[in-house]
Amino acid sequence: MTPQPKPGKVVYSAEQISTRVQELAADISSAYSEDDRLLILGLLKGSFIFMADLVREITLPHHVDFLVASSYGAGKQSSGDVRLLHDPESPLAGRAVIVVEDIVDSGTTLEGVLPRLRAREPASLDVCTLLHKRLTPLDPEPRWVGFDAPNDFLVGYGLDHAEDFRHLPYIASL
Ligand code: IMP
Ligand code: MG
């Protein structure tokens, strides 16, 4: 068996992440009203920890659902082919929808997922990503971004490398 890479330098500590998540939740809470029937849609699996922390800090009543898209397999490179393995069952029409991502890299995942959600006619569709590598301009850009991330391969706080390291409470580079 080839030796597994080990997480190196801590890029964002648990404390830094927690502070930023509270700020994002406050921004989101004041950007919508109850009439918007806010739906927060987590992109699995990478967003699961971010989602759990974020929704507990959002003071506006809202619903939570998940979708599963896959483009990476076990490697570090996107395969470019985005498959939707699980569609949200919640109604989207007429609601304010926020898609929650762990990290935006090439933008391929969002490019694959957003048109399919838009076709279900939400009143608004925005993206909240914890990390954004800003490698290419996106249309639209995520409305909420936790951190502009370095162009390293990052793991922890939900982010994996071949399913390892998701459980780390901080984010490190590999
Ligand atoms: P994109 O489609 O290239 O924007 O990649 C987005 C998805 O790839 C994210 O939801 C992650 O699951 C994964 N990904 C991209 N960069 C990283 C990284 O640095 N560490 C872990 N996963 C990553
Ligand atoms: Mg992922």
Side-chain angles (χ1 to χ4, degrees):
M1 224 172 102
T2 48
Q4 288 300 302
K6 287 205 166 50
K9 190 169 69 77
V10 174
V11 182
Y12 304 104
S13 68
E15 292 71 24
Q16 281 174 295
I17 297 169
S18 163
T19 301
R20 190 68 190 114
V21 170
Q22 285 173 40
E23 291 169 356
L24 287 171
D27 290 348
I28 290 170
S29 302
S30 57
Y32 297 91
S33 74
E34 228 166 295
D35 293 341
D36 293 323
R37 294 184 299 131
L38 184 60
L39 174 67
I40 315 262
L41 271 184
L43 253 166
L44 290 175
K45 295 181 234 177
S47 72
F48 81 109
I49 296 180
F50 179 37
M51 272 290 277
D53 286 346
L54 184 73
V55 299
R56 283 180 294 175
E57 299 284 346
I58 294 176
T59 51
L60 200 68
H62 62 277
H63 290 180
V64 169
D65 204 343
F66 292 94
L67 64 163
V68 187
S70 175
S71 69
Y72 266 67
K76 282 190 186 180
Q77 291 292 312
S78 172
S79 66
D81 159 40
V82 178
R83 285 175 303 153
L84 213 50
L85 306 179
H86 175 77
D87 251 315
E89 279 157 26
S90 311
L92 269 58
R95 307 177 72 172
V97 175
I98 300 177
V99 176
V100 175
E101 252 284 44
D102 52 353
I103 185 164
V104 177
D105 183 291
S106 66
T108 307
T109 305
L110 289 177
E111 262 173 31
V113 161
L114 291 179
R116 286 141 115 147
L117 297 178
R118 208 171 280 123
R120 292 174 60 178
E121 302 188 332
S124 65
L125 180 62
D126 291 295
V127 173
C128 174
T129 187
L130 179 64
L131 304 168
H132 194 343
K133 290 189 184 170
R134 300 204 187 271
L135 299 182
T136 49
L138 301 180
D139 182 24
E141 283 293 339
R143 182 169 177 189
W144 290 282
V145 176
F147 302 100
D148 283 353
N151 189 17
D152 296 335
F153 198 84
L154 302 172
V155 296
Y157 197 72
L159 289 94
D160 73 305
H161 175 251
E163 296 303 326
D164 287 326
F165 313 124
R166 287 195 197 275
H167 56 88
L168 300 177
Y170 53 86
I171 294 171
S173 55
L174 256 207

